[in-house]
Amino acid sequence: MIKIAIDGPSGAGKSTLSKKLAKELGFVYIDTGAMYRAAGLFCLRNGINIKEESDKAADCVEKITIDIIYLPEEGQKVILNGDDVTGEIRTPEVSIAASDVSAIKRVRLRLVELQREMAKSHNVLMDGRDIGTYVLPDADIKIFLTASNEERAKRRYAELLEKGQKCEYEDVYRDMLYRDKNDSSREFAPLKAAEDSIMVDTTGNTFEESFELLLNLIRERL
Ligand code: DC
C-alpha cells in the first residue's frame, strides 16, 4: 500500500489540496483533523473544560465512535456516535477545542490507532500535523505545507465567511496563532516537519498552482 503524508499548520491549504489530490490519484483521503474536531466537539457538548479536565476528556474520547465516510454527491461526512457532525465541527469554537483535546496523549493514542488501521488496507493520502513524524513514519512521500501567517488567516477567514459564519479577521488571526503555538509546543507528537519531508510554501499561489505543483511532485516520486 502507498502512503502519502501531508502535514502543516492550519490554513496552509492542506485539506482542500489533499482532498483533490487523493481524488486525482485514486487514493483514500484521511482527514485526521476532522477526527480531533469530532473529539473536541464531543467534549464541548458534554461541558468538559478540556484544559482543566484532561483525564475526563480522555475518558470520554475513549468511548466515542468516529467514522469518516464518503458520499458520491456530498463528499466527506464526519459521523460522531452515529450523528452527522460535518458542519458543526468547522466552527471557531470547535477549532480551539480540537487543538486543546489533541494535546492530550491518551486522546492521540486512541485516534492514531484508528488512523493507522485505516492506512493498512488502502492507498492513502493522510493530512494532519504529525503524520510524517509519528502516525506514518514510513510514508512513501512526505510533504510539509506552509504559507505566511497573513495568507493563512485570510484563507481561513474567507472559508468561514463562505460558510455563512459571522467572524472578525482579527479573531481568526488570533485563534490561528493560538492553535499554531498549542499544536507545535505540545509534548507528544507536536506539529513538526519530518526530516525527510519536502517543504512547500504556498504563499502567493492560487489553489490551482499549488495543486499542479503538488501533483507533479507526487507523480515524480510514485
Ligand atoms: O487540520 P484541522 O485544522 O482540522 O485540525 C484541527 C486540530 O486538530 C488542530 O489544531 C490540531 C489537531 N490535529 C492534530 O493534533 N494532529 C493531527 N494529525 C491533525 C489535527
Side-chain angles (χ1 to χ4, degrees):
M1 292 298 144
I2 303 171
K3 303 185 189 92
I4 301 175
I6 301 193
D7 288 300
S10 57
K14 285 189 314 290
S15 46
T16 34
L17 286 164
S18 297
K19 212 175 287 171
K20 191 161 177 209
L21 286 165
K23 195 166 179 204
E24 182 75 22
L25 296 162
F27 280 32
V28 171
Y29 167 52
I30 303 174
D31 176 356
T32 63
M35 300 168 84
Y36 289 98
R37 284 172 179 273
L41 173 64
F42 189 77
C43 292
L44 287 182
R45 278 181 174 177
N46 286 279
I48 296 171
N49 180 333
I50 300 170
K51 297 213 99 162
E52 310 267 302
E53 303 175 297
S54 58
D55 280 339
K56 206 166 156 190
D59 288 344
C60 271
V61 173
E62 276 172 3
K63 290 189 207 107
I64 60 178
T65 60
I66 301 171
D67 296 296
I68 301 189
I69 56 169
Y70 292 88
L71 301 178
E73 296 285 299
E74 298 161 75
Q76 172 179 281
K77 294 269 155 206
V78 182
I79 312 292
L80 167 65
N81 288 340
D83 274 350
D84 183 351
V85 294
T86 311
E88 228 180 311
I89 59 167
R90 301 289 162 192
T91 63
E93 294 72 29
V94 176
S95 299
I96 297 288
S99 180
D100 287 340
V101 87
S102 77
I104 303 170
K105 185 172 178 180
R106 267 167 66 208
V107 168
R108 300 199 73 78
L109 292 176
R110 165 94 208 286
L111 297 189
V112 167
E113 195 184 309
L114 297 177
Q115 291 155 13
R116 289 188 179 144
E117 199 54 42
M118 290 174 175
K120 268 190 193 158
S121 45
H122 306 279
N123 289 333
V124 293
L125 190 155
M126 196 181 281
D127 82 353
R129 304 290 189 287
D130 59 340
I131 311 305
T133 52
Y134 185 74
V135 182
L136 305 174
D138 61 339
D140 302 270
I141 300 173
K142 298 181 186 178
I143 294 166
F144 196 85
L145 274 189
T146 58
S148 71
N149 287 351
E150 286 68 28
E151 181 134 346
R152 291 191 295 121
K154 269 191 216 151
R155 287 180 193 163
R156 178 68 71 190
Y157 180 60
E159 228 174 79
L160 289 169
L161 289 188
E162 206 183 291
K163 283 187 194 141
Q165 292 190 22
K166 275 206 191 108
C167 58
E168 298 295 330
Y169 174 77
E170 287 69 28
D171 296 338
V172 173
Y173 193 90
R174 185 204 55 218
D175 284 1
M176 190 191 78
L177 293 188
Y178 170 85
R179 285 212 287 152
D180 280 359
K181 185 155 178 271
N182 218 18
D183 297 345
S184 35
S185 64
R186 66 174 175 241
E187 224 167 283
F188 185 63
L191 163 66
K192 196 171 80 180
E195 273 174 19
D196 51 350
S197 61
I198 308 156
M199 303 291 283
V200 176
D201 187 335
T202 64
T203 311
N205 286 3
T206 62
F207 175 80
E208 280 308 320
E209 285 167 346
S210 295
F211 175 74
E212 288 302 323
L213 192 146
L214 291 177
L215 187 63
N216 289 335
L217 190 152
I218 292 169
R219 287 215 164 117
E220 279 164 16
R221 286 163 178 83
L222 278 183

